[in-house]
């Protein structure tokens, strides 16, 4: 589901305010006299150069807005500890909005706490609300694969070997959707390009990630991309090996000043503001909030110094086409990497097509298996 018009206007208004200093916020969030207390849980470090850092950046932006108080807790395990953390934020700090940022927080922890505290709004990253669940739960996610598609186009223009490498955590549907998008973007530049993917088996395995990166470079990849929780090791290793790289989650440009091309980044402040606004307005939270580049849910890192004018222009054209709806990434005819037709000719699965929620294949041109 994309943002409703009224929500989008509110978000854009708040985002505009968030980009200025001092902040002048004329929204329901800012007008309230009583501060809105927001609790944020992270499964890892806020400085992980990855998923947690992307959320922490949004929390930091939220914290700067008048009328909002943010409390945070890092390294909260996806166990009963998550419930204790949420309960502490509610009972001790008076949190009215809980942002549970890790996938494993949803079942049973968010579900149980939401049932216990019906007056508190819970917003969870990656979960899927279904009928029968507490009404005070919202689930949010972003079409990061749109930004990954843009990275693929840039990588496709920059590669000389026609071999891209990708280090990924697990073949979950969300990751497969992004891996495929990167390959589709690269191969839109040159169908001869191949993408070899190595799954490490877990979200954070630094030693394995470094090994996988070295393996991909040894096999000829001259651009390395990453889809693990903390891509820093992958990007640093690529830089040391003298190859180019594309980041993920948040910018890793400063750890690879020579070879960093761009990256697919989240922009969590957008959905955060939607949920803050619903709490302030006394409204039920959006149960299934999803969007992409068009609603500023995701973005790309600024282009690195190596990126050519041709690559930049192609990326910007693709971005405009995606936002305008004139380009659909998952368009038929599309085959998987076993030769099966997964999307017939003439069929398009747009970004918000729920058929993509359960994607379980790698597209043609990707070396690897799920």
């Amino acid at each position: 589901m994309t943002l409703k018009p009224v929500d989008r206007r509110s978000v854009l208004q708040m985002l505009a305010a968030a980009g200025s200093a001092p902040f002048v916020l004329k929204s329901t969030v800012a007008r309230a006299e009583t501060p809105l207390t927001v609790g944020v849980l992270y499964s890892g470090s806020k400085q992980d150069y990855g998923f947690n850092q992307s959320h922490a950046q949004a929390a930091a932006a939220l914290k700067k807005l008048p009328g909002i108080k943010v409390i945070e807790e890092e390294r909260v395990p996806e166990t009963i500890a998550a419930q204790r953390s949420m309960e502490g934020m509610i009972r001790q700090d008076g949190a009215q909005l809980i942002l549970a940022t890790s996938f494993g927080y949803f079942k049973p922890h968010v579900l149980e706490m939401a049932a216990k505290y019906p007056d508190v709004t819970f917003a969870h990253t990656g979960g899927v609300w279904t009928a029968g669940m507490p009404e005070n739960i919202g689930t949010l996610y972003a079409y990061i694969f749109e930004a990954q598609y843009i990275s693929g186009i840039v990588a496709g223009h920059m590669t000389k070997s026609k071999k891209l490498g990708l280090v990924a955590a697990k073949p979950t549907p969300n990751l497969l959707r992004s891996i495929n998008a990167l390959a589709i973007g690269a191969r839109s530049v040159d169908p001869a390009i191949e993408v070899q993917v190595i799954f490490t088996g877990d979200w954070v395995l630094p030693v394995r990630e470094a090994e996988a990166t070295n393996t991909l470079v040894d096999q000829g990849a001259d651009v390395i991309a990453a889809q693990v929780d903390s891509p820093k090791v992958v990007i640093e290793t690529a830089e040391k090996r003298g190859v180019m790289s594309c980041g993920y989650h948040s910018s890793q440009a400063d750890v690879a000043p020579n070879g960093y091309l761009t990256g697919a980044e989240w922009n969590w402040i957008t959905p955060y503001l939607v949920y803050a606004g619903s709490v302030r307005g006394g409204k039920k939270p959006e149960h299934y909030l999803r969007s992409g580049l068009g609603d500023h849910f995701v973005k790309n890192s600024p282009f690195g110094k190596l990126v050519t004018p041709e690559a930049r222009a192609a990326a910007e054209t693709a971005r405009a086409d995606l936002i305008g709806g004139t380009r659909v990434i998952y368009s038929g005819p599309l085959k998987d990497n076993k030769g099966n037709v997964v999307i017939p000719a003439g069929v398009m699965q747009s970004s918000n097509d729920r058929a993509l929620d359960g994607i379980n294949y790698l597209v043609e041109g990707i070396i690897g298996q799920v």
Side-chain angles (χ1 to χ4, degrees), residues 44-128:
S45 166
K46 290 165 54 181
Q47 288 83 39
D48 67 353
Y49 273 88
F51 185 75
N52 289 290
Q53 184 165 317
S54 71
H55 277 287
Q57 289 169 342
L62 199 61
K63 196 180 297 184
K64 292 178 181 178
L65 299 178
I68 292 186
K69 176 185 176 184
V70 176
I71 52 176
E72 302 164 275
E73 187 171 346
E74 300 176 81
R75 298 183 176 86
V76 180
E78 295 170 329
T79 64
I80 192 68
Q83 294 192 40
R84 296 195 190 103
S85 178
M86 287 186 269
E87 188 147 33
M89 291 174 171
I90 294 166
R91 294 174 66 90
Q92 296 169 21
D93 301 295
Q96 301 146 279
L97 171 61
I98 296 291
L99 300 171
T101 65
S102 189
F103 184 78
Y105 293 154
F106 193 56
K107 294 181 179 178
H109 311 300
V110 166
L111 295 177
E112 291 187 6
M113 296 307 295
K116 186 173 182 178
Y117 294 99
D119 294 331
V120 176
T121 293
F122 294 79
H124 178 265
T125 305
V128 178

Side-chain angles (χ1 to χ4, degrees), residues 152 155-157 159-165 182-196 220-222 363-367:
H157 276 274
T159 180
K160 304 299 182 189
S161 67
K162 308 299 181 187
K163 294 182 179 179
L164 312 183
L182 183 135
I184 293 170
R187 287 167 58 82
S188 72
V189 178
D190 185 345
I193 292 173
E194 291 182 332
V195 179
Q196 181 167 357
D222 61 355
V363 297
E364 183 178 23
I366 296 179
I367 302 171

Side-chain angles (χ1 to χ4, degrees), residues 202-243:
D202 210 341
W203 301 110
V204 182
L205 286 175
V207 173
R208 178 69 182 127
E209 291 160 11
E211 291 174 347
T213 305
N214 281 318
T215 297
L216 292 168
V217 175
D218 289 342
Q219 293 179 354
D222 61 355
V223 181
I224 300 293
Q227 287 197 185
V228 293
D229 262 13
S230 179
K232 184 182 179 190
V233 168
V234 174
I235 304 303
E236 278 183 330
T237 305
E239 183 82 351
K240 289 176 184 175
R241 293 295 305 270
V243 300

Side-chain angles (χ1 to χ4, degrees), residues 89-361:
M89 291 174 171
I90 294 166
R91 294 174 66 90
Q92 296 169 21
D93 301 295
Q96 301 146 279
L97 171 61
I98 296 291
L99 300 171
T101 65
S102 189
F103 184 78
Y105 293 154
F106 193 56
K107 294 181 179 178
H109 311 300
V110 166
L111 295 177
E112 291 187 6
M113 296 307 295
K116 186 173 182 178
Y117 294 99
D119 294 331
V120 176
T121 293
F122 294 79
H124 178 265
T125 305
V128 178
W129 185 91
T130 56
M133 290 181 178
E135 291 289 332
N136 53 327
I137 292 177
T139 62
L140 61 137
Y141 205 67
Y143 302 141
I144 191 74
F145 70 98
E146 292 184 348
Q148 198 70 310
Y149 173 79
I150 302 294
S151 291
I153 288 176
V154 173
H157 276 274
M158 299 305 299
T159 180
K160 304 299 182 189
S161 67
K162 308 299 181 187
K163 294 182 179 179
L164 312 183
L166 202 157
V167 181
K170 301 178 182 181
T172 65
N174 283 329
L175 263 63
L176 292 176
R177 184 158 42 171
S178 282
I179 293 167
N180 288 337
L182 183 135
I184 293 170
R187 287 167 58 82
S188 72
V189 178
D190 185 345
I193 292 173
E194 291 182 332
V195 179
Q196 181 167 357
V197 59
I198 294 179
F199 292 104
T200 63
D202 210 341
W203 301 110
V204 182
L205 286 175
V207 173
R208 178 69 182 127
E209 291 160 11
E211 291 174 347
T213 305
N214 281 318
T215 297
L216 292 168
V217 175
D218 289 342
Q219 293 179 354
D222 61 355
V223 181
I224 300 293
Q227 287 197 185
V228 293
D229 262 13
S230 179
K232 184 182 179 190
V233 168
V234 174
I235 304 303
E236 278 183 330
T237 305
E239 183 82 351
K240 289 176 184 175
R241 293 295 305 270
V243 300
M244 298 172 283
S245 60
C246 292
Y248 194 63
H249 293 314
S250 56
S251 178
Q252 291 91 45
D254 60 339
V255 301
N258 295 315
Y260 194 77
L261 298 177
T262 185
E265 299 184 29
W266 310 94
N267 193 33
W268 297 117
I269 185 62
T270 307
Y272 279 14
L273 288 172
V274 171
Y275 287 113
S278 66
V279 174
R280 274 291 184 226
K283 299 178 181 177
K284 203 165 54 175
E286 189 80 55
H287 292 315
Y288 186 83
L289 185 63
R290 304 288 191 277
S291 197
L293 288 167
D295 283 315
H296 308 282
F297 271 52
V298 296
K299 59 185 178 181
N300 283 92
S301 309
F303 298 126
K305 62 183 180 183
L306 292 181
V307 180
T308 63
E310 182 185 16
R312 294 172 186 240
E316 293 301 341
T317 297
R319 188 193 323 278
D321 290 348
L322 289 173
I323 293 172
T326 57
R327 184 181 307 209
V328 175
I329 298 170
Y330 281 89
S331 297
L334 186 67
K335 293 181 179 179
D336 65 16
N337 65 354
K338 298 177 182 176
N340 304 307
V341 175
V342 289
I343 301 179
V347 174
M348 294 190 293
Q349 294 179 342
S350 56
S351 293
N352 63 353
D353 193 323
R354 297 295 297 270
L356 295 175
D357 285 351
I359 193 168
N360 62 355
Y361 57 82

